[in-house]
Amino acid sequence: LNNRYELSKTADFVPQMNATIILQRPTHVRIHDSGDFYSIAYLLKWVNIANTNKDVIFYAYTKSIPFFKGTFQGKPIIKIPKNLKIIFSEGSKRDILINNNKDRHARIFKDVTALLKAGYINASDNDLNAIQDNKKVGLVYH
């Protein structure tokens, strides 16, 4: 895990990820099974990778909401490609930045019944549900 983090800080990260994607030919790539976007520079590396691999859907859960909500003169600072799906994770001091009606976001529930009753799509058993049309992504605590 630490080796992946260290690699992400190098200039070799983008070309190595692009080479891996070309070799493995995934249709979807989840960014981070643990961890988060730790800087704008790191986020921009993933934007670059997504722009280079337009036939692949990339997605990530994040609590680094300010990186995505930052604006300059009313326009987003970073243009997120259509094939990069960002899911804001509730449960931090920055939850106030999440627009629950517009932003794709994830909420933890104690059971599937509560999740469905609240109008969330269940991504507990199939993580790819997180990138479907319903922007309300529910996960059951286990």
Side-chain angles (χ1 to χ4, degrees):
L1 187 63
N2 195 43
N3 290 345
R4 288 186 279 176
Y5 169 68
E6 292 301 325
L7 175 63
S8 76
K9 297 190 294 184
T10 71
D12 290 335
F13 180 70
V14 172
Q16 284 195 24
M17 287 303 303
N18 286 331
T20 299
I21 290 166
I22 289 168
L23 285 173
Q24 295 184 0
R25 298 183 179 160
T27 56
H28 297 81
V29 172
R30 178 174 172 176
I31 303 169
H32 313 126
D33 54 358
S34 64
D36 205 341
F37 297 103
Y38 56 83
S39 70
I40 294 286
Y42 173 61
L43 169 58
L44 288 172
K45 289 179 181 184
W46 279 107
V47 168
N48 182 334
I49 293 163
N51 280 325
T52 301
N53 299 280
K54 293 192 180 292
D55 57 332
V56 178
I57 302 294
F58 296 85
Y59 67 106
Y61 293 89
T62 185
K63 290 185 179 181
S64 298
I65 301 162
F67 292 168
F68 299 91
K69 294 281 188 163
T71 59
F72 178 72
Q73 296 181 345
K75 296 189 171 142
I77 292 172
I78 298 173
K79 183 167 174 25
I80 303 299
K82 289 184 186 205
N83 64 325
L84 175 53
K85 310 291 185 187
I86 300 301
I87 307 147
F88 296 143
S89 297
E90 291 185 347
S92 78
K93 296 175 186 175
R94 298 182 179 116
D95 285 358
I96 190 127
L97 298 174
I98 300 171
N99 180 329
N100 287 334
N101 296 315
K102 292 183 181 180
D103 295 329
R104 185 178 309 276
H105 65 283
R107 180 175 292 169
I108 305 295
F109 291 87
K110 60 182 174 177
D111 58 54
V112 174
T113 303
L115 180 155
L116 296 174
K117 186 175 180 182
Y120 283 70
I121 189 166
N122 186 0
S124 298
D125 296 328
N126 182 353
D127 200 45
L128 290 180
N129 284 338
I131 59 173
Q132 301 303 320
D133 290 338
N134 187 346
K135 292 184 176 186
K136 295 180 175 186
V137 178
L139 300 163
V140 175
Y141 179 81
H142 60 279

